[in-house]
Each structure stands twice: as structure tokens, then as C-alpha cells.
Amino acid sequence: MTTVTANGKVALVTGANSGIGRVTARELARQGWRVFLACRSGEKTRPVLDEIAALGGQAEFLPLDLGDFASVNACADAFLARNLPLHLLVCNAGLSGKRGMTASGFEMTFGVCHMGHFLLTERLRPRLSDSAPARIVVVASKMHRWASYMTLDWVQQPSRTPGTLREYCLTKLANILFVRELATRLAGSGVTAYAVHPGIVATDIWRSLPGPLAALVKRFMVTPEEGARTSLHCATAPELAGESGRYYDRCKAVEPAPAAQDLHAARRLWEASEAWVRPVL
Ligand SMILES: NC(=O)c1ccc[n+]([C@@H]2O[C@H](COP(=O)([O-])OP(=O)(O)OC[C@H]3O[C@@H](n4cnc5c(N)ncnc54)[C@H](OP(=O)(O)O)[C@@H]3O)[C@@H](O)[C@H]2O)c1
């Protein structure tokens, strides 16, 4: 496998066309990474590719709809076909306030933020291991603290709560449990995993709020540049090379809620997710 990049490193960032993912991808490219922007829309990703090109960076668009297993597999196939190493996977894409089910048959938030990323990670895991040292960064949220424990009885039904708040909090808890179990399963492979709370960040994730309210609350939030700091720290800080499975807020490892430290729940979530993706692996 050959790489022609300024620092010899290759990254794939999901949801890199806006918000935290856009800044994460741009700053990695600025540091010399070759960056793959795995996003739903080529048109919406074009301005980010142009921005990175203007910095002299290397970036490429890969189509990805995390709600559709066929699209996730096509994205993984397209990346693997390039025969490049992979040193960093940033599972960043997310949504809130959108009700319904994904094309793959999961509740919308869980299906996109957890199941799509689970399948993508499974498909890219061998390449990450072959490229070790390598890292997986999963963008979770402090809102996991509002979920008292992980349950799976709701994840194959349409969203139930009006603003999908419960679904969002449980999904972000799933993101942290996923990182815990990844750390266990990847121990000794040279691939390490990190869960992140980015802060309360003024991005499009608030698009479901009424316009004037969104504009008002965004004034009290941090910028996407600040929001990307912890993802970038977990992706690149040399002092984190020996850490895996932890949860980071403002670039520091902190204890997540007790429900996010439940190793049995982490294993149950993994086993269920593995069974759900098995038919398409
Ligand atoms: N903003 C905050 O305050 C905050 C706080 C805690 C955690 N987070 C987390 O931070 C991450 C990034 O969010 P953000 O705040 O930067 O929001 P954002 O600007 O709305 O970005 C979300 C990204 O996810 C993509 N996405 C949504 N559904 C997708 C799908 N089915 N397949 C592929 N990509 C999809 C979006 O693409 P489209 O443009 O095509 O929709 C967009 O690129 C999310 O995981 C979010 O939960 C955010």
C-alpha cells in the first residue's frame, strides 16, 4: 500500500460537509493528512473540497448514507479499492430531531449514528489494523448522561418521542459503549478508540429548532472550530497513543455516566449490532 501525502497519513471522516466534521477534515488536511470526506451529498461537500484544495491539502469525496447498509458497504468498498492505508476513522456524522426509520430498518438516530458507523467500522477494521498505529474517534455527546441505561427494545421501530430527545440520548450512550467494546476487542492490535463530547456547538444539528430560536441559542454555543478541538486532539495527540476506550470532554479524559461504563451493556450492544449487520457483511 502506498500513500503520497505530506505526513504519510490517511483519514476518513463521516459527515464532513458541515459543522464539526467539516472543521475536523479541513484541519487534518492542513496538517498534511490525505482526507476522505464520506458524506451524503457531493454537492454539499464540494465547498469543503475547494476549501481544502485552497490550503494545498488532499481531499476526496466518498458517497455515504449511514442509514443504508448498501451505501455503507459501497463506501467501504470504494475506499478499500484504492489500496491505501487507513490511520484514522472519525465517526462524526449525526442528526437530531428527525423521526422515522432508516432504509436499513432502524430508528433514525440510532440507525445513522450507531448502526451505520458500526458497519463502516467493521468493514474498515482490518485496514486500520494493517495500518497500525491507527485510531477510531467516535463523536458522542454529554447528553448520554440523560439516558439511565442502555436498552435495545426500541431500535427497530420508528422514533417515538416528538423531538427524538430520548432516542438521541440513548444513541449517544451507544456511541460510548461502542468505543468501550472496541477498545476491548482491539487490545494489542495497535488500533485505539476514543469517544468525544464536542461541547454545545453552533452547527446545523439544531436545524429542527424553529429559525429564530435556533439563531438565539446558537449565540450561546461554541464555534465549530472549538467543537472540533477534542476530536482533533483524540485523533492526533501523541500522548493519547497508549489510551483506548475512554471518553473525552474539552481535550481531557473524563468519566462518562455509569450507564456508559457498563461493560455487559457494551458487549450486548456489540453482539446485537454484529448480528444485525451479519447478513450484509
Ligand atoms: N452541535 C452540537 O452541539 C453537538 C453536541 C454533541 C454532539 N454532537 C455530535 O457531533 C456530530 C457532528 O454534528 P454537528 O453538530 O457538526 O452537526 P451538523 O453540522 O448537522 O453535521 C452533521 C453531519 O452528519 C451528516 N449526516 C446526517 N445524516 C447522515 C446520514 N444518514 N449519512 C451520512 N451522513 C449523515 C450530515 O450530512 P447532511 O448535511 O447531508 O445532513 C452532516 O454532514 C454528531 O454526531 C452530533 O451528534 C454535536
Side-chain angles (χ1 to χ4, degrees):
M1 283 184 277
T2 53
T3 351
V4 187
T5 91
N7 74 356
K9 301 280 189 187
V10 180
L12 190 153
V13 182
T14 68
N17 60 284
S18 81
I20 298 161
R22 175 179 185 148
V23 178
T24 304
R26 186 189 69 211
E27 294 309 308
L28 289 168
R30 200 198 295 277
Q31 292 171 27
W33 291 71
R34 178 167 174 179
V35 187
F36 286 84
L37 284 66
C39 306
R40 278 198 291 197
S41 154
E43 199 185 326
K44 283 166 85 175
T45 310
R46 174 49 51 200
V48 195
L49 295 172
D50 292 345
E51 194 179 10
I52 291 174
L55 295 168
Q58 270 186 289
E60 218 177 298
F61 165 67
L62 287 177
L64 171 67
D65 182 342
L66 286 159
D68 180 351
F69 284 167
S71 169
V72 176
N73 270 331
C75 177
D77 288 342
F79 177 79
L80 295 171
R82 282 166 172 76
N83 204 26
L84 289 166
L86 182 62
H87 304 99
L88 172 65
L89 171 63
V90 185
C91 297
N92 164 82
L95 73 165
S96 77
K98 188 165 176 215
R99 292 162 59 87
M101 290 184 85
T102 65
S104 305
F106 293 88
E107 187 284 324
M108 184 62 72
T109 312
F110 183 85
V112 170
C113 300
H114 173 69
M115 288 309 302
H117 282 134
F118 182 87
L119 176 59
L120 185 66
T121 306
E122 277 301 273
R123 291 293 318 278
L124 297 178
R125 208 146 59 101
R127 185 60 55 88
L128 286 157
S129 295
D130 290 346
S131 314
R135 299 186 188 191
I136 301 169
V137 175
V138 179
V139 184
S141 170
K142 198 178 240 176
M143 285 176 75
H144 79 275
R145 295 187 188 278
W146 292 17
S148 39
Y149 58 92
M150 192 67 212
T151 61
L152 294 173
D153 52 353
W154 56 280
V155 305
Q156 289 180 295
Q157 297 164 18
S159 322
R160 284 193 217 159
T161 60
T164 69
L165 182 64
R166 179 172 182 269
E167 289 86 348
Y168 186 81
C169 297
L170 279 163
T171 296
K172 292 294 153 180
L173 174 59
N175 285 158
I176 302 175
L177 292 170
F178 174 47
V179 164
R180 289 253 150 186
E181 188 67 15
L182 265 177
T184 304
R185 290 176 186 250
L186 291 169
S189 70
V191 184
T192 46
Y194 311 81
V196 164
H197 171 61
I200 305 299
V201 191
T203 66
D204 286 351
I205 200 116
W206 306 101
R207 71 189 94 182
S208 62
L209 291 179
L213 180 60
L216 179 70
V217 294
K218 276 185 175 182
R219 290 171 56 190
F220 300 97
M221 297 177 188
V222 303
T223 62
E225 279 69 21
E226 287 173 74
R229 278 185 59 227
T230 305
S231 294
L232 288 163
H233 178 72
C234 289
T236 61
E239 65 272 24
L240 299 193
E243 292 186 12
S244 191
R246 303 194 70 185
Y247 168 72
Y248 297 78
D249 185 355
R250 294 182 207 179
C251 299
K252 290 209 164 30
V254 295
E255 289 303 315
Q261 301 181 47
D262 180 343
L263 299 182
H264 295 293
R267 200 178 60 239
R268 273 200 315 273
L269 173 67
W270 184 287
E271 286 168 358
S273 306
E274 197 175 39
W276 286 323
V277 301
R278 194 167 298 131
V280 299
L281 267 178

